[in-house]
């Protein structure tokens, strides 16, 4: 795997010169905490980002797709202690597990980063020092509730009857020296940025929530150092303090691209900065929408183009959590249902701005209705008919009938719908449009009844046209499915025996070549028994 990554990184660097004509696209996911194995909610984010990255590549963008792990902090220090491991050994194990999960999901990231990387630590140290030297970070006093056994600060609203929400023991009011970031200095510029770029954060409803809850009441300066734990990047000029984990984590987007504090940035940085799209969960939008742009303003770097805050997968209407014992893991689902079925579920069942539900029953229902009955069945019976009636040879589509128009128009329209939806990151709606085309094909089979055309020798040419229209529509489906279900798409294109898989190849309905032979493979999806 490591070899594969090094090869990928080398390819990106080698390409720096060649792809000058292509527009660049830097896509970054949040970096997952190495506190434990990632559940299906965390995994959704990388699959969602992967679908976007693959679509951008299909559109011809030169994509740089970064993901990785966030490895410092008190919680991780505790977990390592519980597991009787050094913090480093603990995060090494979990980071491997996260990477294994991202690879199992067939995600096409270009770089997997880890915040324990020495180069990242050095750059974060330099960034912190620079912000301190220029007066944006200052030494102050942190005052608040503290749980001594857990060594953690608790906000007033987290207290349960004056006790720590984690261990239940009494919290005490304490005060300790800490460094603070002058967010207040930049807040007017930030608000101006929101006003000038109304689509900077989506969905808009989430942006407004944060403006109302955090900016309008008055933005407090942010405490950016801790003395209560050790597992973090030390403040170089005051080693009792470690850098607060968000300042460490957010900067991953800069440091791993080759940002240099003196301005001698790498070629990769010069080409790909700024981030074009941050994909993060709704719970961490605040950090990306307020702290992150302010850090960049203070460093004098360009701000990201867009932040998309996706919703959450809930299970039976409640949040997944270890204590409720309702965690679902993507690797278990893949073992049960197959990779692309899981990718399909994750990508199709999360609305743009609301939470999605995931349960085993719902997964089985979707596989049976959308994948086995609709898509799988369409491909299987169309290829089977073309083999049966024409020995597999694709016929010409000369013998037209008005009933064809609706199907052909929908195939062409689907390309546009998918493009519009994907450009707006309405991923589940793009996928829905593709499955609707598949449904329309099944209806066309009912309308044209190829089996009855086959009984009449004078209608063979018409039969050939009907099957051509179906096979070509299936090619449209397969090409459009590439970002969402890459393996399924490839299997369909192999059965169609075509290499016409680019978006440009969908500019005309007629990409399949006459006389080429289709091939039947195993069914794409089997029905699953509840
Ligand atoms: N380490 C921070 C992010 C730092 S980014 C500079 C973090 N890590 S996390 O492991 O807790 O979460 C990783 C991502 O998974 C976040 O974007 C988070 O919102 C997302 N999700 C966590 N639970 C989720 C669901 N149930 N459903 C969908 N996404 C979920 O936050």
């Amino acid at each position: 795997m490591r070899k594969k990554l090094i090869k990928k990184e080398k390819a990106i660097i080698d390409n720096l010169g060649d792809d000058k004509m292509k527009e660049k696209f830097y896509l970054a996911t949040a970096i997952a905490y190495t506190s434990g194995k990632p559940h299906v909610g965390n995994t959704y984010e990388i699959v969602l980002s992967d679908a976007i990255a693959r679509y951008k590549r299909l559109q011809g963008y030169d994509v740089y797709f970064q993901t990785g792990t966030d490895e410092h902090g008190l919680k991780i220090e505790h977990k390592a202690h519980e597991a009787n491991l050094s913090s480093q050994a603990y995060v090494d194990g979990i980071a491997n597990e996260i990477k294994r999960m991202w690879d199992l999901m067939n995600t096409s990231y270009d770089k997997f980063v880890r915040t324990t990387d020495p180069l990242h630590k050095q750059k974060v140290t330099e960034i912190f020092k620079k912000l301190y030297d220029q007066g944006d970070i200052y030494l102050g006093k942190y005052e608040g509730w503290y749980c001594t056994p857990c060594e953690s600060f608790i906000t007033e609203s987290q207290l349960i009857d004056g006790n720590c929400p984690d261990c239940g023991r009494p919290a005490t009011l304490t005060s300790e020296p800490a460094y603070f970031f002058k967010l207040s200095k930049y807040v007017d510029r930030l608000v101006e940025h929101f006003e000038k770029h109304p689509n900077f954060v989506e969905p808009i409803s989430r942006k407004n929530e944060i403006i109302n809850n955090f900016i309008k009441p008055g933005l407090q300066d942010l405490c950016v150092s801790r003395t209560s734990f050790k597992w973090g990047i030390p403040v170089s000029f005051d080693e009792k303090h470690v850098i607060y984990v968000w300042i460490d984590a957010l900067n991953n987007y800069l440091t791993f691209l080759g940002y240099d504090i003196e301005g001698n940035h790498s070629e990769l940085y010069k080409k790909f900065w700024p981030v074009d799209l941050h994909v993060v969960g709704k719970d961490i939008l605040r950090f990306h929408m307020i702290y992150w742009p302010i850090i960049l303003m203070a460093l004098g770097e360009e701000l990201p183009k867009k932040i998309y805050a996706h919703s959450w997968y809930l299970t039976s209407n409640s949040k997944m959590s270890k204590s409720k014992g309702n965690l679902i893991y993507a690797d278990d689902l893949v073992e049960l249902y197959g990779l692309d079925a899981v990718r399909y579920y994750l990508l199709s069942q999360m609305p743009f701005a609301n939470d999605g539900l995931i349960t085993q029953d719902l997964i089985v229902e979707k596989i049976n209705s959308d994948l086995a009955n609709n898509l799988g069945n369409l491909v299987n019976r169309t290829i089977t008919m073309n083999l049966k009636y024409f020995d597999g040879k694709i016929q010409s589509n000369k013998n037209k009938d008005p009933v064809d128009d609706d199907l052909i128009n929908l195939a062409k329209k689907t390309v546009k719908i998918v493009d519009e939806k994907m450009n707006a990151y309405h991923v589940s709606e793009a996928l829905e449009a593709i499955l609707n085309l598949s449904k329309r094909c099944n209806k066309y089979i009912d309308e044209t009844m190829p089996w009855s055309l086959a009984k009449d020798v004078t209608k063979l040419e018409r039969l050939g046209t009907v099957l051509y229209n179906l096979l070509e529509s299936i090619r449209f489906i397969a090409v459009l499915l590439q970002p969402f279900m890459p393996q399924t798409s490839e299997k369909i294109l192999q059965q169609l025996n075509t290499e016409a898989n680019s978006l440009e190849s969908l500019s005309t309905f007629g990409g399949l070549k006459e006389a080429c032979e289709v091939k039947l493979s195993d069914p794409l999806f089997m029905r699953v028994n509840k």
Side-chain angles (χ1 to χ4, degrees), residues 54-112:
R54 287 178 188 266
Y55 191 75
K56 285 283 163 198
R57 290 192 199 105
L58 264 187
Q59 284 181 313
Y61 284 86
D62 190 2
V63 174
Y64 174 75
F65 174 16
Q66 183 170 297
T67 186
T69 43
D70 182 358
E71 307 195 350
H72 293 124
L74 179 70
K75 192 164 170 200
I76 291 169
E77 195 175 85
H78 278 163
K79 288 269 179 174
H81 188 71
E82 273 167 34
N84 229 344
L85 288 172
S86 70
S87 297
Q88 188 63 55
Y90 183 78
V91 296
D92 285 348
I94 304 285
N96 277 340
E97 183 64 12
I98 294 177
K99 187 131 81 68
R100 184 189 70 80
M101 191 76 87
W102 284 193
D103 291 334
L104 177 77
M105 297 312 293
N106 191 14
T107 57
S108 60
Y109 58 83
D110 293 298
K111 191 157 178 155
F112 188 99

Side-chain angles (χ1 to χ4, degrees), residues 29-36 38-46 68-71 75 98 102 115 245-246 248-253 278-285 287-288 310-315 318-320 350 355-356 358:
T29 69
I31 48 172
Y33 283 130
T34 46
S35 46
H39 57 64
V40 75
N42 311 127
T43 311
Y44 164 69
E45 183 170 299
I46 184 81
T69 43
D70 182 358
E71 307 195 350
K75 192 164 170 200
I98 294 177
W102 284 193
T115 56
V245 66
W246 276 97
D248 161 4
L250 287 165
N251 277 305
N252 90 83
Y253 306 123
H278 279 292
V279 177
V280 301
K282 60 180 184 177
D283 55 319
I284 57 169
L285 175 59
F287 302 94
H288 286 81
H310 62 76
S311 308
W312 270 31
Y313 264 117
L314 307 177
T315 178
S318 67
K319 200 175 151 180
M320 270 180 254
M350 179 74 88
D355 288 335
I358 184 163

Side-chain angles (χ1 to χ4, degrees), residues 17 41 60 126 147 188 190 196 225 228 252 275 312 320 346 406 414 488 528:
E126 290 167 1
C147 173
D188 291 344
L190 185 66
K196 280 200 185 136
S225 78
S228 51
N252 90 83
V275 173
W312 270 31
M320 270 180 254
L346 292 178
D406 196 45
T414 305
T488 302
V528 184

Side-chain angles (χ1 to χ4, degrees), residues 118 314 387 451 456 473 478:
L314 307 177
L387 281 164
W451 50 89
D456 183 344
S473 300

Side-chain angles (χ1 to χ4, degrees), residues 364-489:
V364 170
E365 257 169 48
K366 284 313 262 181
I367 292 178
N368 288 344
S369 67
D370 297 5
L371 300 182
N373 291 358
N374 177 3
L375 177 65
N377 199 18
L378 169 72
V379 174
N380 195 272
R381 61 183 179 150
T382 307
I383 301 273
T384 305
M385 286 191 284
N386 210 63
L387 281 164
K388 183 170 166 194
Y389 303 135
F390 299 111
D391 290 331
K393 287 208 175 61
I394 298 177
Q395 302 297 297
S396 90
N397 60 343
K398 280 198 288 259
N399 196 325
K400 301 191 195 307
D401 185 286
V403 73
D404 304 340
D405 296 345
D406 196 45
L407 175 70
I408 296 173
N409 289 339
L410 185 67
K412 291 181 188 161
K413 196 169 137 200
T414 305
V415 181
K416 288 208 186 89
I417 300 176
V418 170
D419 202 55
E420 273 165 31
K421 298 292 183 192
M422 288 307 282
N423 289 339
Y425 310 121
H426 288 237
V427 174
S428 63
E429 292 163 37
L431 194 45
E432 190 184 353
I434 305 171
L435 269 285
N436 278 342
L437 176 58
S438 172
K439 235 190 249 167
R440 183 66 189 82
C441 289
N442 279 315
K443 188 171 160 224
Y444 179 78
I445 297 181
D446 297 340
E447 288 166 349
T448 53
M449 296 192 290
W451 50 89
S452 88
L453 294 173
K455 285 185 192 142
D456 183 344
V457 280
T458 65
K459 296 196 173 139
L460 280 189
E461 205 182 65
R462 174 66 194 145
L463 175 63
T465 299
V466 164
L467 289 180
Y468 183 94
N469 289 338
L470 284 167
L471 291 167
E472 176 65 354
S473 300
I474 292 173
R475 185 181 74 85
F476 270 55
I477 292 169
V479 172
L480 292 173
L481 275 183
Q482 288 175 99
F484 311 92
M485 296 195 273
Q487 289 185 348
T488 302
S489 158

